[in-house]
Amino acid sequence: MIYRGLSTEEVSQRIENGLVNTRQKGMTDTTADIIRRHTLTYFNCVNTVLFVIVLLTGKQANSLFYMTVIINTVMGIWQEIKARRLLRKMEILNEEPVRVRRDGRWQDIPPEELVMDDLMSLSAGLEVPADGRIVAGTLELNESLMTGESNTVIKEEGAAIYAGTIITAGRAEAVVSRVGENSVAAIIMQEGKKFRRSRSQLASEIEKLLKIISVMIVPTGIIIFLTQWLRTGMTWQDSALSTVAAVVGMIPEGLVVLTSAALVVSTIRLSGRQVLVHDLYSIESLARIDTLCLDKTGTLTKGKMKAEEMHLLGDPDEETALKALRTLLKATEAHNATSSALMEAWGSESDEEVISFVPFSSERKYSAANTVSGMTYLLGAPQVLLADSHPEVLEECVSLSKLGIRVVVLASSERGEPEGLTPLAFFTISDELRDNTREIMDYFSRQDVTLKVISGDDPAAVSAIARKAGIKGAENYIDLFGAEPDYDEVVEKYTVFGRVQPLQKKEIVEALKRHGHNVAMTGDGVNDVPALKSADVSVAMAAGAPAARDSASFVLMDSDFSRMPHIVDEGRRVINNITCASSMYLVKTGFSVLLSIYVIILAHSYPFVPLQLTLLSACGVGIPTTILQLEPSFARFEGNFLRDAMRRALPSALAVMCAVIGCLVLKNIFRLAPTSYSGILISITGAIYICTLLKVYRPLTKLRAAVILCMAGLLAGAILLAGNLFGATLIGRDFFLAAAGIAAAPLVIDILSVLYAKTEALIPQQAEK
């Protein structure tokens, strides 16, 4: 049947019926979704209400705390929109026009304008834009982005082709058979859309803390306001300011800002290494992984075949065998991966004339060249060319194949057909490893990260590549073709999984997660999307399918897997530095909770106003922790983020509580003015913060010592030079009282730390009893 393409009227009818190749929506959110997710949060709403309350009191200087909300929201929105825009640019750059026949002539159109039954002209180097069926010609396709198998597939007249596959050789005309949501690629992408990325442990711990606080702040704030207003005789404005100070103090909003800032800085560093971060928290997530699932093609290997050795057979010398090989390669019009590797290794220059050529096909499994001298040279699979005549050579070739080495045989014949063949040589061909692959695998091995290789290729071949890459346990492999094993059992038993289907990849990842592993997945094809979405963190190659890039937490812009250790190091820097910083932020949360209980029970006025807390937070926490985020800290993180932070924060929080009680005693004894009381309290509280910085950031480096010294000077300068602005002054004897409290601060913290450690140690002992 001859296909002449569609007419304009037929195209219009199909568009009206929705039979058009509408571009599939990516996995990324819209701008509105991103803005909504970052702005409409519980704590943004709480802080906004507190901000409005402060404005109503007429004391706007106390509203500076709201800047942290704005900064955090803007940074989160900026990073996600930036990542999404870059992904969309990549899609546009990778888009090629499609040549179709309409109204009796060939014309180029965008892929999304294809309709059902369009006649497409396809050639080498293009990506198939829609599912179809070949009606004329032959194509050689790399379907690895769809199936995971790296072998070239020959497609002849009547064969089905799929969107997203790459044409490596040949030319053909094909009729579009499926468009839009009905394409195979779209179906796999829909499967991937069912899954959401897991949040990182850092994010979940912070979220856990915020949930606990969220239950407390509204009722606590109401009670504090009523206590201040009705029981202490304060005006509603002063009562409102005290309430805002207490509630803002409980919320470690600066910790959220600092975490976002640290992650944004890491994304900037990684972008300099050609790594696109799609999800901020994924930087930290990758640092925690204990299992990394790798694809073979595009990750371990370059996706390019490499000819290794030539083994002569029988009497022919090397020159005779090479002449035959070069003659056959010269006659080859559409080179596949195998012939290209042979040509690169041994060339294709030959003066022997070829009168006819039989191209390689998946049915024949060999190619042949007939020369004017009457000789026929054949190149193909040993099982076909040597099946009946040379069993000993065939056995050797099969043995090599079991080791994952591809073997092709070169033979000659005087009959012009594969009978009475004389084997000349066989060639071993392997997938070429990426540069530094072994070093990268060694790095993950030293980090106690278990490696799993998941591929659509033959498991023996994948196992050989994995062994060559230095992956431990690579000899343990399983063939999953057509199998439905107990995934919970096989994921712990095997290292290499071969001939894996897309949904089987997802099952492997989910089984590993059920075993308690933190799983990372790499991939570059549509077939990888379900697994990428199921993993705790995922990495895609920029050269891969758009669906894979959209699904991944990271995109390696230069498709260089050697970037992975740098991502892990950045994650460790974030975890280690944020853990130190979080201890400082939780000091304020801790003493704010304690002070709130104290104020409610005893009906005392809250000892701080928002502006004073802003000063303490800036000098004692915000500025120093932000600067110290820049420090390299690549040690592997062990322990629980929140528990470790609380262990260092609570003694200091209790010390602040002791300072409040001590200052109240001094106020009553010496009849201190409110500004003097505040000046002494802020001085002692600032000293407690400085002592905590010295404990948390050990051992001291030059940078740490300089930062802490500067913060101590800044606090002292603010109280001495701008005390009236903060409602805190030191006059006369106030200096001596403040100095006594400052001198006692480190001793009090040490005593409380020892008591806290003993209490913590007794808890598990009591639990055991």
Side-chain angles (χ1 to χ4, degrees):
M1 181 177 179
I2 299 176
Y3 290 85
R4 303 185 182 279
L6 301 176
S7 65
T8 301
E9 183 179 350
E10 290 171 326
V11 171
S12 298
Q13 290 175 350
R14 284 161 175 75
I15 292 175
E16 289 177 4
N17 294 329
L19 301 177
V20 62
N21 195 45
T22 305
R23 176 186 292 274
Q24 298 302 308
K25 292 183 179 179
M27 304 290 182
T28 52
D29 295 327
T30 65
T31 301
D33 292 332
I34 294 171
I35 294 175
R36 190 182 304 114
R37 183 170 60 252
H38 285 277
T39 55
L40 301 181
T41 66
Y42 176 78
F43 276 95
N44 279 5
C45 293
V46 170
N47 278 286
T48 300
V49 171
L50 296 176
F51 175 70
V52 172
I53 291 173
V54 172
L55 294 181
L56 291 175
T57 66
K59 299 181 180 180
Q60 288 83 356
N62 288 279
S63 64
L64 285 176
F65 70 90
Y66 199 68
M67 288 300 298
T68 59
V69 178
I70 297 173
I71 293 170
N72 181 57
T73 303
V74 170
M75 283 194 299
I77 293 172
W78 171 77
Q79 170 58 27
E80 284 207 43
I81 291 178
K82 177 186 174 184
R84 189 200 60 183
R85 284 178 177 173
L86 185 52
L87 286 171
R88 288 185 174 177
K89 285 181 181 178
M90 290 167 59
E91 288 186 17
I92 294 171
L93 290 174
N94 291 335
E95 184 179 283
E96 292 283 348
V98 186
R99 195 162 184 78
V100 297
R101 188 172 179 83
R102 292 180 178 177
D103 294 325
R105 61 186 180 85
W106 291 102
Q107 54 186 285
D108 294 331
I109 63 170
E112 60 267 25
E113 293 183 10
L114 280 170
V115 298
M116 185 75 81
D117 301 322
D118 252 329
L119 181 62
M120 305 180 290
S121 176
L122 304 173
S123 58
L126 298 177
E127 178 180 313
V128 177
D131 292 1
R133 179 172 52 85
I134 295 178
V135 295
T138 302
L139 295 176
E140 293 188 20
L141 298 173
N142 180 339
E143 296 186 333
S144 62
L145 293 181
M146 289 293 299
T147 66
E149 298 181 11
S150 60
N151 293 336
T152 298
V153 180
I154 308 296
K155 299 282 187 174
E156 298 180 333
E157 186 174 334
I161 57 176
Y162 303 105
T165 55
I166 307 299
I167 304 169
T168 58
R171 181 179 294 275
E173 294 177 5
V175 173
V176 175
S177 59
R178 282 190 294 265
V179 293
E181 297 289 344
N182 296 320
S183 69
V184 174
I187 293 171
I188 296 176
M189 285 174 63
Q190 284 296 332
E191 180 65 30
K193 287 180 181 179
K194 296 177 183 177
F195 306 98
R196 294 182 179 180
R197 293 189 190 94
S198 300
R199 294 294 302 276
S200 71
Q201 184 176 332
L202 181 62
S204 62
E205 291 290 339
I206 293 175
E207 186 176 335
K208 185 191 301 181
L209 176 64
L210 294 180
K211 282 182 178 179
I212 295 172
I213 295 171
S214 68
V215 176
M216 300 171 52
I217 56 176
V218 175
T220 302
I222 293 173
I223 295 172
I224 290 175
F225 175 75
L226 294 175
T227 299
Q228 305 279 283
W229 187 27
L230 300 178
R231 297 177 62 186
T232 65
M234 295 171 62
T235 64
W236 76 265
Q237 291 92 339
D238 290 337
S239 299
L241 280 179
S242 294
T243 302
V244 170
V247 173
V248 170
M250 292 183 203
I251 305 172
E253 74 283 345
L255 177 58
V256 179
V257 174
L258 185 68
T259 302
S260 297
L263 293 170
V264 168
V265 169
S266 289
T267 64
I268 294 171
R269 286 196 187 99
L270 290 173
S271 66
R273 294 184 179 274
Q274 298 299 304
V275 178
L276 170 65
V277 180
H278 204 191
D279 175 15
L280 282 177
Y281 280 103
S282 60
I283 298 174
E284 177 259 338
S285 298
L286 189 57
R288 293 184 183 275
I289 64 163
D290 58 41
T291 305
L292 176 59
C293 296
L294 307 167
D295 190 19
K296 177 181 74 69
T297 306
T299 301
L300 296 180
T301 67
K302 296 179 179 179
K304 178 182 178 182
M305 306 305 295
K306 180 181 180 181
E308 298 286 354
E309 296 178 333
M310 177 177 69
H311 299 264
L312 295 174
L313 301 172
D315 298 330
D317 56 22
E318 182 176 341
E319 184 177 348
T320 302
L322 287 178
K323 178 181 179 182
L325 175 67
R326 290 164 179 163
T327 299
L328 196 148
L329 292 176
K330 182 181 180 181
T332 303
E333 294 181 358
H335 286 281
N336 56 28
T338 299
S339 62
S340 297
L342 292 170
M343 187 167 62
E344 184 176 339
W346 288 288
S348 60
E349 294 298 323
S350 175
D351 55 6
E352 189 164 4
E353 185 177 348
V354 175
I355 57 176
S356 65
F357 179 74
V358 179
F360 179 88
S361 73
S362 55
E363 289 78 20
R364 283 189 298 271
K365 295 193 182 299
Y366 70 86
S367 59
N370 299 308
T371 66
V372 293
S373 64
M375 293 296 295
T376 297
Y377 300 126
L378 302 96
L379 182 70
Q383 294 86 343
V384 174
L385 298 181
L386 303 177
D388 302 322
S389 54
H390 298 82
E392 70 287 349
V393 179
L394 177 59
E395 184 178 352
E396 183 179 0
C397 293
V398 171
S399 298
L400 290 171
S401 297
K402 289 181 178 179
L403 296 176
I405 301 172
R406 185 173 301 182
V407 179
V408 291
V409 169
L410 175 68
S412 64
S413 171
E414 296 181 357
R415 302 183 184 181
E417 55 187 20
E419 293 182 6
L421 293 179
T422 300
L424 302 177
F426 70 81
F427 303 87
T428 56
I429 302 172
S430 66
D431 282 335
E432 190 173 355
L433 282 178
R434 283 185 172 273
D435 298 334
N436 303 322
T437 297
R438 178 174 285 275
E439 289 82 354
I440 299 168
M441 298 303 111
D442 287 342
Y443 167 83
F444 283 111
S445 178
R446 292 194 304 271
Q447 306 304 320
D448 295 325
V449 175
T450 301
L451 300 174
K452 303 286 185 181
V453 184
I454 307 174
S455 175
D457 282 349
D458 180 87
V462 180
S463 175
I465 290 294
R467 289 198 300 273
K468 191 175 179 181
I471 295 177
K472 293 181 179 179
E475 66 280 0
N476 300 319
Y477 62 85
I478 183 174
D479 190 336
L480 290 184
F481 181 73
E484 283 299 327
D486 182 345
Y487 289 100
D488 288 312
E489 178 182 346
V490 299
V491 293
E492 296 292 348
K493 185 176 180 181
Y494 297 101
T495 299
V496 174
F497 303 84
R499 298 209 291 174
V500 183
Q501 299 300 307
L503 294 185
Q504 288 179 316
K505 291 186 179 184
K506 182 203 74 174
E507 293 290 350
I508 292 170
V509 170
E510 292 192 337
L512 287 167
K513 291 174 67 176
R514 285 195 297 271
H515 280 259
H517 295 293
N518 291 320
V519 183
M521 174 74 192
T522 69
D524 60 357
V526 174
N527 69 99
D528 296 315
V529 169
L532 290 171
K533 296 291 284 185
S534 293
D536 293 301
V537 62
S538 51
V539 182
M541 308 296 170
R549 296 197 299 264
D550 281 350
S551 304
S553 311
F554 299 93
V555 180
L556 304 183
M557 304 300 292
D558 54 2
S559 300
D560 185 355
F561 189 67
S562 67
R563 306 295 183 187
M564 290 291 287
H566 299 295
I567 305 175
V568 174
D569 283 344
E570 279 300 329
R572 290 181 175 177
R573 183 202 299 264
V574 169
I575 296 174
N576 292 327
N577 289 338
I578 289 296
T579 300
C580 290
S582 62
S583 299
M584 301 305 304
Y585 280 100
L586 293 177
V587 170
K588 186 182 70 168
T589 299
F591 77 66
S592 294
V593 172
L594 294 173
L595 285 177
S596 297
I597 297 171
Y598 164 79
V599 165
I600 291 171
I601 294 175
L602 299 181
H604 285 181
S605 60
Y606 196 82
F608 298 102
V609 296
L611 189 58
Q612 293 168 350
L613 288 178
T614 299
L615 172 65
L616 290 168
S617 295
C619 297
V621 188
I623 298 174
T625 56
T626 299
I627 296 173
L628 294 175
Q629 287 300 306
L630 303 176
E631 281 198 312
S633 182
F634 302 142
R636 183 173 183 178
F637 179 81
E638 296 180 0
N640 181 278
F641 158 74
L642 189 56
R643 185 174 60 247
D644 292 347
M646 292 295 287
R647 183 182 296 118
R648 289 181 284 193
L650 282 181
S652 296
L654 290 168
V656 173
M657 186 67 197
C658 292
V660 170
I661 295 173
C663 287
L664 281 174
V665 172
L666 293 175
K667 180 180 179 181
N668 293 329
I669 294 175
F670 295 101
R671 299 185 180 277
L672 297 175
T675 55
S676 295
Y677 163 73
S678 294
I680 296 171
L681 177 58
I682 292 176
S683 298
I684 298 173
T685 304
I688 292 172
Y689 267 114
I690 296 301
C691 291
T692 308
L693 281 171
L694 289 170
K695 289 175 68 70
V696 168
Y697 286 98
R698 287 180 179 173
L700 279 181
T701 62
K702 289 183 179 179
L703 175 63
R704 292 176 175 181
V707 168
I708 294 172
L709 184 62
C710 287
M711 292 305 102
L714 188 58
L715 268 171
I719 297 171
L720 295 175
L721 302 177
N724 290 329
L725 174 64
F726 296 99
T729 59
L730 293 176
I731 303 172
R733 65 184 175 185
D734 300 343
F735 286 101
F736 298 101
L737 296 175
I742 291 171
L747 178 61
V748 173
I749 294 173
D750 286 340
I751 293 172
L752 292 171
S753 296
V754 172
L755 293 174
Y756 180 83
K758 288 183 177 180
T759 304
E760 191 178 39
L762 288 174
I763 293 174
Q765 294 177 14
Q766 294 297 327
E768 290 176 5
K769 293 179 182 180

